[in-house]
Amino acid sequence: MKKTILLLFVFLLSQNFSYSQIELKGGLYASIPFGIFAAGEYGLYEDIGIELGVISNPGVDLGQTHMSGTAIMINARYYFSPRYGLDRFYTGIYVRPHTTVITEEITNFFFPSSFPTSGSITPSSSSFEYSRDSGVGVGFLLGKKFVRKNKYFLDLNIGFGRNLGRRVYDIEVPTSIFRRGNNRIGLDFLYSFVFGFRL
């Protein structure tokens, strides 16, 4: 995969680009839960574009779990039979370095020797566990861009690949915490819902 990406960039750098289209876009990206996405895409040709973006989740509470994170999204796209340039169906490859910080609240209950006949047991205290999930997602994109009046557009896509170099560890004590779940299998999946306009 690294050799393929390197050959792609060498090929792109060796070309004489006569087409220049710049797009700004923003929306929701699911590579980080509830991630907000901001990006720009540059058209090298009418059917080839390079996108660079930032995905950020300033913080979301999921029950007793708080998640926040950031990622960089870099992808190269090939558009099939574009009508206005950089539109309609496309495929591509992406590279996505990412980091997510997870805070879990652990509720500690005190159980007396005899349970009350009425009322409920209340938690006596809580403790917190902090962990970090980081890696680099590498994979393929499939999507479609709907352009209106060659100005505004809606960009939908999905991506799938592998999460390389993934590490999940305690922040305070940097040891592996893969034992917490069985979902750390190195697969990478994402999708986006993005609006934008052309300059």
Side-chain angles (χ1 to χ4, degrees):
M1 180 60 74
K2 291 181 180 179
K3 290 182 179 179
T4 303
I5 295 172
L6 179 61
L7 287 174
L8 175 65
F9 282 116
V10 170
F11 170 77
L12 293 175
L13 291 174
S14 65
Q15 301 301 302
N16 181 18
F17 304 119
S18 59
Y19 182 80
S20 177
Q21 175 68 59
I22 299 175
E23 299 178 347
L24 300 179
K25 58 184 78 174
L28 298 178
Y29 229 105
S31 61
I32 291 178
F34 304 99
I36 299 173
F37 182 59
E41 184 176 354
Y42 181 76
L44 305 176
Y45 295 104
E46 291 187 353
D47 56 357
I48 297 178
I50 301 291
E51 181 185 78
L52 174 62
V54 177
I55 310 163
S56 177
N57 172 11
V60 61
D61 290 313
L62 304 172
Q64 291 183 298
T65 302
H66 181 84
M67 301 180 70
S68 62
T70 57
I72 304 296
M73 182 65 173
I74 307 167
N75 63 75
R77 303 175 171 192
Y78 175 76
Y79 292 84
F80 300 95
S81 303
R83 181 175 300 166
Y84 301 110
L86 304 183
D87 68 323
R88 305 177 82 178
F89 288 103
Y90 62 87
T91 187
I93 58 175
Y94 72 87
V95 178
R96 184 182 61 85
H98 65 89
T99 297
T100 301
V101 176
I102 305 163
T103 303
E104 294 182 81
E105 182 179 1
I106 309 299
T107 303
N108 303 314
F109 288 91
F110 172 73
F111 294 98
S113 57
S114 62
F115 291 94
T117 57
S118 62
S120 60
I121 299 175
T122 58
S124 60
S125 64
S126 295
S127 60
F128 296 88
E129 294 185 355
Y130 305 92
S131 59
R132 184 185 301 272
D133 184 339
S134 62
V136 178
V138 178
F140 298 93
L141 281 177
L142 294 173
K144 186 174 183 180
K145 186 186 292 181
F146 303 86
V147 177
R148 181 175 177 81
K149 297 181 179 179
N150 201 21
K151 189 69 175 178
Y152 305 99
F153 61 86
L154 171 64
D155 190 354
L156 306 173
N157 66 46
I158 60 171
F160 51 91
R162 295 298 302 271
N163 205 330
L164 307 177
R166 188 173 190 183
R167 293 187 61 200
V168 183
Y169 57 91
D170 285 319
I171 293 177
E172 297 177 352
V173 182
T175 57
S176 173
I177 57 172
F178 281 86
R179 55 182 172 76
R180 289 190 182 175
N182 58 2
N183 59 341
R184 316 295 189 184
I185 57 177
L187 296 181
D188 197 58
F189 176 76
L190 51 87
Y191 61 90
S192 71
F193 187 87
V194 178
F195 293 96
F197 65 93
R198 298 181 162 187
L199 300 179

